């Protein structure tokens, strides 16, 4: 069911978004964008209309993962039009509005906050069942801006075993509580390597602490993803949609469906 927002969020006439779900991690490089793109792809395969708002303004990686590099979002009057992926996912990203996508984004805080708001209230999302938000890394002011600008209904936390998992999950849970948004659960990325010969799962970073930490904060574990060089290569080549295994992040998909 929908959340009764204590706060009024901006809307526009050309968007009708049923559920907004944010993908958050305590730090960069853990695979937040991969998990965000993965959940979006799985929701699309399940028949939902899906969008991705790339709120990682200074480190956008969603367009590349979906083969949208080099594309430029068009405008409809004052509204931005998302670019659409092969499987029909609507994407808005700083990468799609910059002249030269290889230029680093050197914008200051208020400009970044403005871009995030514009990607919500001045973008023509059309009718969507799910809008996934690829959050900026960590629990910074920019992350706060997202929660203050969009009606986020649930958060998926992404960790990896080499992190100080406990502290990183604590930070994310803290932010979720402050913003009064439920945590749908935690995904552990780069959790293990699967032996190509015997199929055995090898925990290269030592025994995972995820179950312990999840129990401590009463969080659901929404899955563990292996280190998969083929998947990394597929993402690099813009082919995430055709490369995901059928069961990829199935528990995270179910958690989104239960929102
Ligand atoms: P973040 O958004 O948290 O910064 P990304 O999703 O962009 O992280 O992932 C960082 C890099 O690691 C990317 O090049 C991505 O393809 C790679 N990567 C992420 N998860 C995996 C995985 N499970 N196996 C192999 N490579 C991965
Ligand atoms: Mg990212």
């Amino acid at each position: 069911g929908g959340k009764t927002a204590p706060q009024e969020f901006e809307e526009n006439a050309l968007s009708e978004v049923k559920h907004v779900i944010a993908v958050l991690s305590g730090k960069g490089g853990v695979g937040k964008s991969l998990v965000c793109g993965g959940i979006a792809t799985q929701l699309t395969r399940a028949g939902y209309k899906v969008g991705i708002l790339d709120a990682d303004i200074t480190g956008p990686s969603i367009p590349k993962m979906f083969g949208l590099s080099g594309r430029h979002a068009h405008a409809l009057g004052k509204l931005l039009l998302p670019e659409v992926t092969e499987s029909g996912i609507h994407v808005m990203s700083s990468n799609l509005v910059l002249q030269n996508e290889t230029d680093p984004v050197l914008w200051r805080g208020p400009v970044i906050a403005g871009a995030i708001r514009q990607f919500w209230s001045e973008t023509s999302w059309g009718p969507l069942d799910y809008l996934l938000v690829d959050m900026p890394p960590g629990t910074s002011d920019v992350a706060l801006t997202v929660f203050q600008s969009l009606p986020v209904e649930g958060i998926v936390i992404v960790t990896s075993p080499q992190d100080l998992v406990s502290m990183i999950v604590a930070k994310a849970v803290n932010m979720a509580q402050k913003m009064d948004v439920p945590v749908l659960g935690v995904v552990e990325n780069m959790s293990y390597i699967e032996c190509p010969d015997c199929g055995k799962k090898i925990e290269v970073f030592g025994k995972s602490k995820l179950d312990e930490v999840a129990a401590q904060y009463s969080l659901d574990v929404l899955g563990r993803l292996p280190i998969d060089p083929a998947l990394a290569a597929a993402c690099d080549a813009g082919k995430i949609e055709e490369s995901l295994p059928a069961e990829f992040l199935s528990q995270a998909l179910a958690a989104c469906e239960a929102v």
Side-chain angles (χ1 to χ4, degrees):
K3 175 184 159 192
T4 41
Q7 181 181 355
E8 285 293 312
F9 294 100
E10 279 187 77
E11 282 186 44
N12 67 62
L14 293 175
S15 294
E16 202 183 310
V17 179
K18 287 192 189 145
H19 303 292
V20 180
I21 292 170
V23 181
L24 180 70
S25 74
K27 63 166 224 185
V30 301
K32 173 174 49 68
S33 298
L34 178 95
V35 169
C36 182
I39 296 174
T41 300
Q42 294 298 61
L43 283 167
T44 303
R45 287 177 178 177
Y48 298 103
K49 280 188 188 274
V50 179
I52 302 176
L53 190 162
D54 186 354
D56 194 349
I57 304 292
T58 55
S61 56
I62 294 292
K64 179 159 196 245
M65 197 179 289
F66 285 91
L68 297 176
S69 283
R71 297 252 209 116
H72 290 279
H74 293 83
L76 181 75
K78 182 177 147 204
L79 284 171
L80 290 168
L81 299 176
E83 283 293 305
V84 183
T85 71
E86 197 84 3
S87 71
I89 299 170
H90 287 53
V91 174
M92 186 46 69
S93 169
S94 64
N95 215 246
L96 299 170
V97 297
L98 294 173
Q99 286 296 2
N100 186 348
E101 62 179 319
T102 56
D103 282 348
V105 180
L106 301 172
W107 300 341
R108 291 184 191 281
V111 180
I112 292 172
I116 290 171
R117 284 195 292 271
Q118 191 177 11
F119 288 175
W120 168 248
S121 61
E122 293 178 26
T123 297
S124 167
W125 289 106
L128 290 184
D129 296 306
Y130 292 96
L131 180 65
L132 294 176
V133 183
D134 189 10
M135 294 288 291
T139 44
S140 60
D141 284 358
V142 190
L144 273 178
T145 298
V146 174
F147 290 109
Q148 289 163 348
S149 311
L150 284 81
V152 179
E153 268 188 277
I155 296 170
V156 174
I157 298 175
V158 183
T159 62
S160 64
Q162 70 270 53
D163 292 332
L164 300 165
V165 178
S166 172
M167 192 189 76
I168 280 165
V169 171
K171 271 191 189 171
V173 168
N174 208 343
M175 172 165 248
Q177 278 171 351
K178 237 187 244 163
M179 303 324 290
D180 199 23
V181 180
V183 177
L184 305 183
V186 195
V187 173
E188 185 173 75
N189 188 31
M190 310 194 205
S191 191
Y192 57 89
I193 292 178
E194 202 164 84
C195 170
D197 300 321
C198 63
K200 202 177 155 216
K201 295 176 177 179
I202 305 159
E203 292 184 305
V204 284
F205 300 107
K207 179 103 193 69
S208 171
K209 296 186 191 71
L210 184 64
D211 286 331
E212 227 171 275
V213 173
Q216 189 184 342
Y217 295 99
S218 309
L219 301 177
D220 288 335
V221 173
L222 298 179
R224 296 185 157 86
L225 299 176
I227 297 172
D228 181 352
L231 186 55
C235 289
D236 252 11
K239 296 185 186 309
I240 182 173
E241 289 159 297
E242 58 196 76
S243 307
L244 292 185
E247 286 303 298
F248 193 81
L249 287 171
S250 55
Q251 287 163 278
L253 169 68
C256 292
E257 288 184 304
V259 160

